[in-house]
Amino acid sequence: MLSEEILSWVTAAVGGDARVATVTGLREQANPWLVRFAPAARVEAAVLRLGDPTDPEHRRRFATEVAALRLAGDHGLPAARLIATDLDGAAAGVPAVLTTVLPGHSRIPPVASPERLRGLGATAAALQSVPLTPRTALPRRTRSIADVDFAAQRREKGTTALLAEAEDRLSRLPVPEGPTVFVHGDLWFGNTLWSGDRCTGLVDWDCAGAGPPGIDLGSARFDAALMFGLPAAEQVLEGWQRAANRRAGQVAYWDVVAALGTLADMAFCVPAPHDQGRTDLDAGILGQRRDAFLGNALRRLDATGLSGR
């Protein structure tokens, strides 16, 4: 499953008399990997993320992940701690990042309590409390999953009237001014860990950077609407505003940005919630919920005078 070169790097990083006991795939039974050690190891388990040494994009994303985890650790945010890194693959044979294991799980329940939804909002608010100037490994972000050009993919694969309208209207509006803060860049329930209704951590930081706080808030609201229906997004907003002790600005704008991180056919994202236990969700349900969320955001843009028309 893992090469001897990788396993040797992992055991050397852990130190002591560490011996790899088991390796389990965490996403669709594959990378990243949960590595458990024999009792003699100084740590019981670690999470191993591997990249493609032939792909420069993997190295860039790993550098972002490492920089984000270091910054999160400096500010006491709920993130794993780094054990070892090999960004160029010189020791492990492939780019590799080894981190501690956070408590909790990322399984998404069929029904979310208000406490869980507000907890997601509060987690997004914790990030926005960290001011951040863009830098090489944590660049300027203006939307979630910034390295995927969803607009180009829609032009190639087809779009819908609603998505086209939203894209056109957003192109006529300036990015709202405001503080530049630490953003996760891919904040959805599958990238959070939970113990009961308490968020215990954030994972998958390779889209992180510096940007407006609305990026993570919009992403969290959109995912809540996809997973649980439109009213859930308002609970996320309530949790964010309670934790931040202020009203969120330009919510409708960032909701549109979040919804535009999709394709016309929502089948492309079905495997992700299925992997987190939500096998009840299909492309049809997700498409209906996306459109309800996006339509609502566009109406609220009109109400605030930011219609882009």
Side-chain angles (χ1 to χ4, degrees), residues 185-201:
D186 188 14
L187 185 54
W188 73 290
F189 271 105
N191 281 340
T192 59
L193 298 175
W194 298 84
S195 178
D197 286 329
R198 182 175 64 88
C199 182
T200 57

Side-chain angles (χ1 to χ4, degrees), residues 5 43 87 98 104 137 173 175 206 230 251 254 266 277 287 291 295 302:
E5 189 174 15
V43 295
L87 297 183
L98 191 68
L173 295 172
V175 177
D206 53 353
L230 188 57
V251 174
W254 293 111
M266 291 290 282
D291 290 349
D302 290 339

Side-chain angles (χ1 to χ4, degrees), residues 87-297:
L87 297 183
D88 60 5
V94 296
V97 176
L98 191 68
T99 67
T100 58
V101 178
L102 293 168
H105 63 85
S106 59
R107 301 282 288 181
I108 304 172
V111 177
S113 68
E115 290 76 19
R116 178 174 288 233
L117 295 168
R118 290 195 291 264
L120 182 63
T123 300
L127 291 169
Q128 67 89 39
S129 69
V130 180
L132 183 63
T133 300
R135 58 192 69 173
T136 300
L138 294 169
R140 171 74 175 175
R141 304 295 195 190
T142 57
R143 60 184 176 87
S144 292
I145 320 178
D147 56 346
V148 177
D149 192 339
F150 289 99
Q153 291 192 32
R154 287 193 294 270
R155 289 192 294 271
E156 176 186 348
K157 300 177 180 180
T159 188
T160 68
L162 182 62
L163 286 168
E165 178 190 357
E167 192 173 333
D168 177 67
R169 290 170 65 177
L170 206 65
S171 71
R172 301 171 188 270
L173 295 172
V175 177
E177 295 182 359
T180 301
V181 301
F182 188 27
V183 297
H184 180 275
D186 188 14
L187 185 54
W188 73 290
F189 271 105
N191 281 340
T192 59
L193 298 175
W194 298 84
S195 178
D197 286 329
R198 182 175 64 88
C199 182
T200 57
L202 289 170
V203 299
D204 291 359
W205 292 83
D206 53 353
C207 292
I215 292 175
D216 282 342
L217 175 58
S219 179
R221 280 173 48 80
F222 180 48
D223 185 62
L226 289 180
M227 297 298 105
F228 308 110
L230 188 57
E234 298 311 305
Q235 294 286 349
V236 173
L237 177 60
E238 181 180 341
W240 191 98
Q241 292 181 152
R242 283 185 184 181
N245 197 30
R246 67 180 179 88
R247 292 186 62 81
Q250 308 292 344
V251 174
Y253 176 94
W254 293 111
D255 282 356
V256 175
V257 171
L260 283 174
T262 63
L263 304 179
D265 185 353
M266 291 290 282
F268 83 99
C269 68
V270 166
H274 279 204
D275 191 46
Q276 299 302 325
R278 290 301 304 274
T279 55
D280 57 307
L281 298 175
D282 59 25
I285 293 172
L286 293 174
Q288 292 170 7
R289 290 180 175 179
R290 185 268 314 278
D291 290 349
F293 182 86
L294 180 54
N296 183 62

